[in-house]
Each structure stands twice: as structure tokens, then as C-alpha cells.
Amino acid sequence: MNAMPRRLVIFPLLAAMLLAGVDCFAGPRTGAPAKDATPAVSKVAKPFIPSATADATVQPAQSTSKATPPADDDYDAAPAPVADPLYRWNKFWFGFNNLFYSGLMRPFARGYAYVVPKPLRQGLTNAYQNFIFPLRFVNALLQLNFTQASREFGRFMINSTLGIGGLMDVAKADPNLQPGNEDFGQTLGHYGMGDGFYIVWPLLGPSSLRDSIGLAGDAAANPLTWIFGPWSIHGDYNPWYWSYIIKAGDVFNNMPGTLEAYDSVVGPAVDPYSAIKDAYIQYRRNAVSK
């Protein structure tokens, strides 16, 4: 019983960090479709690459006959850069995450991709995303986006039945049932909460104050929290560790594609830290604005 207070504090905190995922460490995937056309995967995937890079790509302005933009109050100025008061902390953990994922995990990811065919890996990703649909459904409701909420519910029903438990994303064939990627960080932004400051978390990667707070909300809406939560306060057996095993399995399953996307962002960058920071912040601002 003396160990229970620590378990009740530590495990929900770890779950909140790990279940975020996975949108973090590196920045958007280049060449990915826009948000409404991208699976909620994360966030492909989450541990460290957000799901859409089209959202994080700065589009060139269309040329006009005017030499300067109109000076009126409705003109959208370039967004201010996010504050980085924890620069030394962030730079250290950026280097650690880069070494861990891009160095240590790379040979394992390559071996896994060689042994497990891509269609099977995609099927596992589909099944996991179908399972955690309440996370997206609840946040769509909180954002008063009832169209997206009904879309998520419809996708879940179709993929759970015709898609064999979500292994196949059958609903994606319907233009009206394209996947979303709503999360609690977006919900906070929807109601006016700004980025706050930039922060890099160990293993999870880039985040902001707002998105870090959002991890707790995402964990609360994730079915894994309720199925394998630390509820064994009466001494009953509870396999709490399965939530972490399942989440880690999803992260590793997406690792080959995640590292490929990470390389495409970091490879050409003169300053990889700034490139990832800018790409992440722009991706999240675009996600909130939609």
C-alpha cells in the first residue's frame, strides 16, 4: 500500500508523456498531404514527426501587381517566433533524442522494415489509430467541430466492422470520411491559448507549453489509460505496463517512416535544432488554425 501513492502519481504522468507522441521530436513530414487528407497517425508518426507536412510548409506568396502589401489591419503579418527560454535544456535533449532515435534505433528500424512488409506495418498502424479514436472524437466535440466528430465516429464504425477491427482503413475511400488528427493541444489553441514557450522533452521531442499541458488531456481520452490505468488500489492484479508496451509498439512500428521523414527535415538544414523547432511550431499553428 505504501507504493500506491507513488504509482498513482508516476504512471499517469508517464502515460501523459508517452501517449502524446509521438507528434514530436523532429517536425513535419515533407510531402505529406494536408491535415484533412492525413491519417491521425501522427502525429506518421508520432514519436517525433507530426502527421502532415503540407501544413508545415511555407507556401510562396502569389505575385501581384502591387509592390507592397496593403497596409490595413486585416493584413496577416508573419507570426512572431515562439520564446525559447529553456534553450540549454532544449538543445541538450534535442541532441539526446537525435542520438537515440537516429543513431541507436536506426539499425533496429531498418531490420524491422526488412522483415515486416510495409502493408502489414500500415495495417498495425491503422488498427492502433482506430482503437484510440475517442481521443480525436472527444477533442472534435470540445472544439465544437461536430462535422469532424461525426466523421470520426463514422470512420470508427466502418473500419471496426468492414475494416476487420481497423486493420484496413476502408472509410478513407469515402471523401466525406477522411481522417483527422485532433488533440487537446489543438483544443486549447482553439479557445485562444497561445504556444507559450518552446520545450523539448526526453524521447518525446519538441513541444510547447500549451501542447505539454495538452498531453494530460490526450491521456485522459485515450482508451489505454482506462483499460490499463493504475486502478489496482485494492491490491487486485492490474497489468498497467501493457499501455506502455502497446504504445511503444506503435512507435517502433512507425519508426522506419519516421526516421525517413526526420532525415528529410534535418539533412539539408544548416542548424538542425532551429529547423526542427521552426517546423514544429509552424505545423502546430497551422493545425490550430484549421
Side-chain angles (χ1 to χ4, degrees), residues 46 65 75 80 96 120 149 159:
K46 276 172 152 185
S65 58
Y75 177 69
F96 172 85
L120 178 55
N159 289 338

PDB file of all heavy atoms in Angstrom, residues 46 65 75 80 96 120 149 159:
ATOM      1  N   LYS A  46       4.073   9.347 -34.781  1.00  0.00           N
ATOM      2  CA  LYS A  46       4.327  10.014 -33.573  1.00  0.00           C
ATOM      3  C   LYS A  46       5.508   9.421 -33.006  1.00  0.00           C
ATOM      4  O   LYS A  46       5.675   9.616 -32.503  1.00  0.00           O
ATOM      5  CB  LYS A  46       3.231   9.892 -32.694  1.00  0.00           C
ATOM      6  CG  LYS A  46       2.146  10.853 -32.897  1.00  0.00           C
ATOM      7  CD  LYS A  46       1.000  10.614 -32.151  1.00  0.00           C
ATOM      8  CE  LYS A  46       0.093  11.272 -31.684  1.00  0.00           C
ATOM      9  NZ  LYS A  46      -0.858  11.210 -31.012  1.00  0.00           N
ATOM     10  N   SER A  65       0.370  42.751 -58.712  1.00  0.00           N
ATOM     11  CA  SER A  65       0.858  43.943 -59.389  1.00  0.00           C
ATOM     12  C   SER A  65       1.344  44.986 -58.411  1.00  0.00           C
ATOM     13  O   SER A  65       2.024  45.924 -58.786  1.00  0.00           O
ATOM     14  CB  SER A  65      -0.269  44.534 -60.256  1.00  0.00           C
ATOM     15  OG  SER A  65      -1.385  44.838 -59.444  1.00  0.00           O
ATOM     16  N   TYR A  75      -4.355  42.697 -42.643  1.00  0.00           N
ATOM     17  CA  TYR A  75      -3.213  42.054 -43.278  1.00  0.00           C
ATOM     18  C   TYR A  75      -2.511  41.134 -42.274  1.00  0.00           C
ATOM     19  O   TYR A  75      -2.209  41.520 -41.148  1.00  0.00           O
ATOM     20  CB  TYR A  75      -2.231  43.110 -43.782  1.00  0.00           C
ATOM     21  CG  TYR A  75      -0.983  42.516 -44.379  1.00  0.00           C
ATOM     22  CD1 TYR A  75      -1.040  41.827 -45.587  1.00  0.00           C
ATOM     23  CD2 TYR A  75       0.237  42.622 -43.719  1.00  0.00           C
ATOM     24  CE1 TYR A  75       0.088  41.264 -46.128  1.00  0.00           C
ATOM     25  CE2 TYR A  75       1.372  42.070 -44.253  1.00  0.00           C
ATOM     26  CZ  TYR A  75       1.296  41.393 -45.467  1.00  0.00           C
ATOM     27  OH  TYR A  75       2.412  40.830 -46.007  1.00  0.00           O
ATOM     28  N   ALA A  80       4.998  35.857 -34.883  1.00  0.00           N
ATOM     29  CA  ALA A  80       6.177  36.068 -34.048  1.00  0.00           C
ATOM     30  C   ALA A  80       6.775  34.723 -33.666  1.00  0.00           C
ATOM     31  O   ALA A  80       6.051  33.749 -33.444  1.00  0.00           O
ATOM     32  CB  ALA A  80       5.787  36.851 -32.796  1.00  0.00           C
ATOM     33  N   PHE A  96      20.233  14.509 -27.423  1.00  0.00           N
ATOM     34  CA  PHE A  96      19.996  13.164 -26.882  1.00  0.00           C
ATOM     35  C   PHE A  96      18.991  12.401 -27.737  1.00  0.00           C
ATOM     36  O   PHE A  96      19.208  11.239 -28.088  1.00  0.00           O
ATOM     37  CB  PHE A  96      19.485  13.275 -25.446  1.00  0.00           C
ATOM     38  CG  PHE A  96      19.041  11.957 -24.863  1.00  0.00           C
ATOM     39  CD1 PHE A  96      19.955  11.103 -24.265  1.00  0.00           C
ATOM     40  CD2 PHE A  96      17.699  11.567 -24.913  1.00  0.00           C
ATOM     41  CE1 PHE A  96      19.550   9.884 -23.732  1.00  0.00           C
ATOM     42  CE2 PHE A  96      17.287  10.344 -24.392  1.00  0.00           C
ATOM     43  CZ  PHE A  96      18.218   9.506 -23.793  1.00  0.00           C
ATOM     44  N   LEU A 120       1.749  -4.726 -43.906  1.00  0.00           N
ATOM     45  CA  LEU A 120       1.458  -5.213 -42.556  1.00  0.00           C
ATOM     46  C   LEU A 120       1.715  -4.128 -41.527  1.00  0.00           C
ATOM     47  O   LEU A 120       0.932  -3.947 -40.582  1.00  0.00           O
ATOM     48  CB  LEU A 120       2.313  -6.448 -42.250  1.00  0.00           C
ATOM     49  CG  LEU A 120       2.144  -7.046 -40.847  1.00  0.00           C
ATOM     50  CD1 LEU A 120       0.682  -7.375 -40.566  1.00  0.00           C
ATOM     51  CD2 LEU A 120       3.034  -8.284 -40.695  1.00  0.00           C
ATOM     52  N   ALA A 149     -16.449  15.391 -35.653  1.00  0.00           N
ATOM     53  CA  ALA A 149     -16.786  14.390 -34.644  1.00  0.00           C
ATOM     54  C   ALA A 149     -17.614  13.260 -35.255  1.00  0.00           C
ATOM     55  O   ALA A 149     -17.352  12.075 -35.013  1.00  0.00           O
ATOM     56  CB  ALA A 149     -17.543  15.041 -33.488  1.00  0.00           C
ATOM     57  N   ASN A 159     -14.571   1.101 -40.061  1.00  0.00           N
ATOM     58  CA  ASN A 159     -13.289   0.394 -40.012  1.00  0.00           C
ATOM     59  C   ASN A 159     -13.294  -0.747 -38.996  1.00  0.00           C
ATOM     60  O   ASN A 159     -12.577  -1.736 -39.156  1.00  0.00           O
ATOM     61  CB  ASN A 159     -12.162   1.364 -39.694  1.00  0.00           C
ATOM     62  CG  ASN A 159     -11.852   2.293 -40.851  1.00  0.00           C
ATOM     63  OD1 ASN A 159     -12.161   1.986 -41.996  1.00  0.00           O
ATOM     64  ND2 ASN A 159     -11.241   3.430 -40.557  1.00  0.00           N
TER      65      ASN A 159
END
